[in-house]
Amino acid sequence: MSTGIVSRGQNTALGAALIAVAVFGALVAAALWRGAAPGAWAVTGSLAGLAGFLALWTRAGSDQRTSFLGATVIGLPYAWLLALFLVPFAIVLKISLSDVALARPPYMPQYDPAQGWAGVVDLVRELDFENFVFLTTDDLYWKAYLSSFRIAAIATACTLLIGYPIAYGMARAPKEWQATLLMLVILPFWTSFLIRVYSLMGILGNEGVLNGALIRAGLVSEPIQILNTQMAVYIGIVYTYLPFMILPIYAALEKMDESLLEAAEDLGCSRLQAFWLVTFPLSRGGIIAGCFLVFIPTMGEFVIPSLLGGAGTLMIGKVLWEEFFNNLAWPQASAVAVVLLLILIIPIVLFQRSEEKAREAGK
Amino acid sequence: MKRFSWFNATALSFGFAFLYIPMIVLVVYSFNESRLVTVWAGFSTKWYAELFRDQAFLDAAWVTLRVAFFSSTIATVLGTMAAHAIVRAGRFPGRTLFSGMIYAPLVMPEVITGLSLLLLFIGLGIDRGVLTVVLAHTTFAMCYVSVVVSSRLATFDTALEEAARDLGATPFQAFRLVTLPIIAPAVISGWLLAFTLSLDDLVIASFTTGPGATTLPIKIFSAVRLGVSPQINALSTLLIVAVSVGVITASLVTKRNAVRRAREERAADQLA
């Protein structure tokens, strides 16, 4: 593949650089062509430079066997994620430091490319932490963060308590059932999240199936208010996120060697002790992965609190949505997002580490 | 096997009852004559008829299917490439950043992803519509595809690829003729996952969509905000049935292929 003047390593780098620059070039060109694009494309453009730089840098330590193809395989998804995952965060950060303006887009300052470097200096000078200060002055925000954290933590614990026995039961079920049981867990996971949240509305409402059954059974005379309370939010989270908890724990338990338990019991452990000393530690990887998979998205959950929760349910995802769509306060909404991201960055990095480790171990 | 006690049986029955009863109730009440949820007034398919007469739902369904098809297809190509890069490319500069960008969208709250993409599109001056939703969905779906495919690639014997290369195949030929057929089930399930994720997404689509590109989840959400509606029950039933049929068929096909492969391998062993 790598014939010609350039060596393999250089070829790799060149390919990656070309593709990265091409993708960003296309984006910037599209922006210029549309005419109405001050501000963000400058950020995009500068990150294009970074991508190109990174790609060229590949030359140094490359141990690729493939050349142009290898570069494309890395460069294309890399450029895509930079442009549509990382750059957007830079923009959110920038807007969170901007001021509200009565225009569209409703924030100041905007970057004027005609002014060149002086424009960048002016832009940076105009940015400030006002929106973050604002977040601390209004009770609503820190209460919403705190309440989201509490709801996410309690709901994760509940999901673990309910999910673990199910995963355990699956792993100990006869081999010929396991494929079917796994299927039964995966099926809700594939079914629409929104529809599953909605299906709970029909169960939990005052005229819902649950209250109807309770009244008919004579257990209560008045319907119990569940929908539009915090309780409904917990039920909703456990219900929708249960497969995310069961699957990694099942994967960990299924790999376990059962003779270990027999050994523990031969050595005088009771069943409970054997579970606590052998099974539980061996499933820790699955528990950790499951908890991250439930906790992190729940922190920013929007659908569940807005469909199942009531006026008393305060969650930051809902606050952000309302800031943005109802109040059109883009800088504030961006500041809310930045703080949420800062809270979640540690669990996200830990999650990524544990996934990488699991992948390495699986090799 | 002896450990499958009454405790396990109870845990499984309660667990699956909890997972399935709400959906079963929803399906049953979609055939209810009455508008009320708790009152069963006889079997009827009138809500389905009403659904198919509603042009707004049909338009939304068409937009959703187009978005899901294009985004899942692009995401499968990019996600497979990314998986290959993560598993096979060894060390390259910025690898940590790359794998971070692959895993982060899996858990990133959707409101953040949606908001940031919207601000990007506005900054770039791209008109919001089907295209922007496709771009947004591709971005998070490719991460799911790459996780699914990389787990298959990691367990795959590289000696087969090396053998193909030694026999004179170019890297692309080796990938197309050796690697791809072996990882195909993972690639297909990655595509299906990307498709259903796109079909399902409310939050990111709400942020990145524009006039004329209302997707089905957006339509459903605005309808159910006010409460349970039998028409949405009918629509949900159709979606649940479609997904169940798809997932069950896919798993049966995978199982049959696995059985066949096992048989072929046994036959090959006997010949050797």
Side-chain angles (χ1 to χ4, degrees), chain A residues 1 27 31 34 36-38 40-41 44 54 57-58 61 63-66 69 72-74 76-78 80-89 91-92 95 104-105 165-166 168-170 172-175 177 181 183-185 187-196 198-203 207-209 212 235 238-239 242-243 258 261-262 265 271 292-293 296-297 300 302-303 306-307 317 320-321 324-325 330 333-334 337 340-341 344 348 351-352 355-356 359 362-363, chain B residues 1-5 7-8 11-12 15-16 18-23 25-26 29 37-38 74 78 81-82 84-113 115-128 135 138-139 142-143 147 150 154-155 162 165 170-172 189 192-193 196 200 202-203 206-207 217 220-221 224-225 227-230 232-233 235-236 239-240 243-244 247-248 251:
Chain A
M1 282 294 273
L27 274 173
R34 297 272 178 171
W41 72 263
T44 317
L54 271 175
W57 194 34
T58 316
D63 56 351
Q64 300 288 294
R65 271 165 299 151
T66 53
L69 184 74
T72 317
V73 164
I74 302 172
L76 207 57
Y78 208 140
W80 184 287
L81 286 172
L82 278 179
L84 287 151
F85 187 73
L86 204 63
V87 170
F89 285 132
I91 297 172
V92 171
I95 292 176
R104 191 159 181 88
I166 301 176
Y168 186 84
M170 282 169 65
R172 294 284 169 277
K175 269 277 173 289
W177 292 6
L181 292 173
M183 182 70 166
L184 284 172
V185 177
L187 206 54
F189 172 85
W190 285 76
T191 315
S192 167
F193 182 82
L194 180 61
I195 289 176
R196 295 194 323 119
Y198 167 67
S199 74
L200 283 178
M201 290 173 73
I203 302 280
E207 276 101 51
V209 174
I235 295 175
V238 173
Y239 178 64
L242 199 53
E258 275 193 56
L261 285 180
E262 281 159 26
E265 280 176 28
R271 278 202 152 189
F292 281 134
L293 283 171
I296 304 172
F302 165 75
V303 178
S306 49
L307 287 185
L320 191 156
W321 179 285
F324 192 86
F325 284 109
W330 293 14
S334 302
L340 178 57
L341 198 61
L344 291 180
I348 288 175
F351 168 74
Q352 185 216 335
E355 285 300 295
E356 281 265 288
R359 205 178 46 72
K363 243 177 191 173
Chain B
M1 229 164 278
K2 66 180 165 61
R3 287 178 186 278
F4 190 65
S5 59
F7 172 79
N8 297 336
L12 285 182
F16 287 114
F18 177 57
L19 279 177
Y20 280 91
I21 284 175
M23 277 193 279
V25 168
L26 186 149
Y29 277 94
V37 205
T38 33
I74 305 170
L78 288 172
M81 283 180 166
H84 207 273
I86 288 240
V87 178
R88 290 294 161 74
R91 297 170 51 79
F92 56 89
R95 190 183 192 285
T96 315
L97 176 66
F98 187 60
S99 87
M101 290 194 298
I102 292 287
Y103 287 111
L106 303 185
V107 287
M108 185 66 70
E110 290 166 321
V111 281
I112 299 184
T113 316
L115 176 73
S116 64
L117 280 166
L118 169 65
L119 295 176
L120 173 80
F121 294 140
I122 287 174
L124 289 171
I126 301 174
D127 288 333
R128 279 173 289 149
L135 288 176
T138 305
T139 306
M142 69 178 274
C143 301
V147 168
S150 67
T155 58
E162 280 156 21
R165 296 279 281 131
T170 64
F172 183 66
S189 55
L192 283 171
L193 184 60
T196 47
D200 188 25
L202 165 75
V203 176
S206 298
F207 275 101
I220 294 175
F221 182 70
V224 304
R225 270 204 124 148
V228 178
S229 117
I232 299 294
N233 283 357
L235 177 60
S236 307
L239 289 172
I240 291 174
V243 168
S244 313
V247 171
I248 291 169
S251 82

Side-chain angles (χ1 to χ4, degrees), chain B residues 40-99:
Chain B
W40 178 258
F43 181 85
S44 156
T45 51
K46 70 174 180 190
W47 303 115
Y48 290 87
E50 206 160 285
L51 183 69
F52 280 104
R53 273 197 303 271
D54 195 333
Q55 191 57 40
F57 273 112
L58 296 179
D59 290 344
W62 177 231
V63 168
T64 311
L65 284 177
R66 270 187 305 165
V67 166
F69 177 79
F70 286 114
S71 64
S72 57
T73 307
I74 305 170
T76 304
V77 175
L78 288 172
T80 307
M81 283 180 166
H84 207 273
I86 288 240
V87 178
R88 290 294 161 74
R91 297 170 51 79
F92 56 89
R95 190 183 192 285
T96 315
L97 176 66
F98 187 60
S99 87

Side-chain angles (χ1 to χ4, degrees), chain A residues 35-209:
Chain A
W41 72 263
V43 186
T44 317
S46 55
L47 266 123
L50 179 71
F53 170 76
L54 271 175
L56 279 170
W57 194 34
T58 316
R59 202 165 58 159
S62 168
D63 56 351
Q64 300 288 294
R65 271 165 299 151
T66 53
S67 52
F68 188 74
L69 184 74
T72 317
V73 164
I74 302 172
L76 207 57
Y78 208 140
W80 184 287
L81 286 172
L82 278 179
L84 287 151
F85 187 73
L86 204 63
V87 170
F89 285 132
I91 297 172
V92 171
L93 188 65
K94 186 252 153 186
I95 292 176
S96 73
L97 300 171
S98 308
D99 296 320
V100 183
L102 291 172
R104 191 159 181 88
Y107 57 84
M108 278 288 285
Q110 312 263 328
Y111 174 61
D112 181 4
Q115 289 181 8
W117 180 243
V120 177
V121 175
D122 281 350
L123 179 87
V124 172
R125 213 171 272 156
E126 292 269 326
L127 299 176
D128 53 48
F129 289 92
E130 238 168 57
N131 297 305
F132 292 95
V133 175
F134 177 73
L135 290 194
T136 61
T137 55
D138 195 331
D139 278 6
L140 170 78
Y141 298 101
W142 66 263
K143 277 187 180 156
Y145 284 116
L146 215 61
S147 150
S148 299
F149 189 85
R150 207 183 49 231
I151 291 176
I154 296 174
T156 307
C158 294
T159 317
L160 177 62
L161 285 177
I162 295 172
Y164 198 96
I166 301 176
Y168 186 84
M170 282 169 65
R172 294 284 169 277
K175 269 277 173 289
E176 61 271 23
W177 292 6
Q178 291 205 0
T180 316
L181 292 173
L182 195 59
M183 182 70 166
L184 284 172
V185 177
I186 291 172
L187 206 54
F189 172 85
W190 285 76
T191 315
S192 167
F193 182 82
L194 180 61
I195 289 176
R196 295 194 323 119
V197 175
Y198 167 67
S199 74
L200 283 178
M201 290 173 73
I203 302 280
L204 302 175
N206 279 356
E207 276 101 51
V209 174

